[in-house]
Amino acid sequence: MERSWYHIAKECTALRKNVLRVDLCVFIDNEEAFSNENYLNSTIKSILTSAIINGLDIVGILSPETPLVGLRAKQMAQQQQMDIVVVAGQTYICTGKEELYIYNLAKPVPKNLSIDKACGFVHDNNGFVLATNVNSKLGATLNKLQGSK
């Protein structure tokens, strides 16, 4: 049985305080945009350090088209035992121009998928989706997809 995000979040315990502080929308460029690996690692470490200083417990690292930078950030936080949880993600534009933030995948979502196919792919790979700029038309489409794969 699948559990909702709310029940999973309730199991998380915030250290140092009574509130769990989360920012799932921290954007960073793809790996190719950085001149070298050291510059990329330095940028990631700066983002994570800033998130900790600002009191965040969970941060979502989003990059266009691939979750690889977020996965690198997650690995860095674990290896250096940073006091933050990193959720790797990517932004995705569907064929109908809907924008999705996709989290918890090890590989990128294939290009040129409709919103139902993209959501199905993500759910089949144990990821989760956050729809952005939801209007009444997109809301109706999302309601039809609720509970489906």
Side-chain angles (χ1 to χ4, degrees), residues 24-69:
L24 289 178
C25 296
V26 176
F27 299 94
I28 188 170
D29 286 330
N30 282 331
E31 290 176 315
E32 298 84 30
F34 294 89
S35 56
N36 61 48
E37 190 172 343
N38 290 335
Y39 182 50
L40 173 60
N41 289 336
S42 174
T43 303
I44 291 171
K45 190 167 186 174
S46 294
I47 289 172
L48 297 178
T49 303
S50 177
I52 293 168
I53 289 170
N54 286 306
L56 293 178
D57 298 299
I58 301 173
V59 64
I61 305 289
L62 289 167
S63 57
E65 301 175 7
T66 177
L68 296 179
V69 176

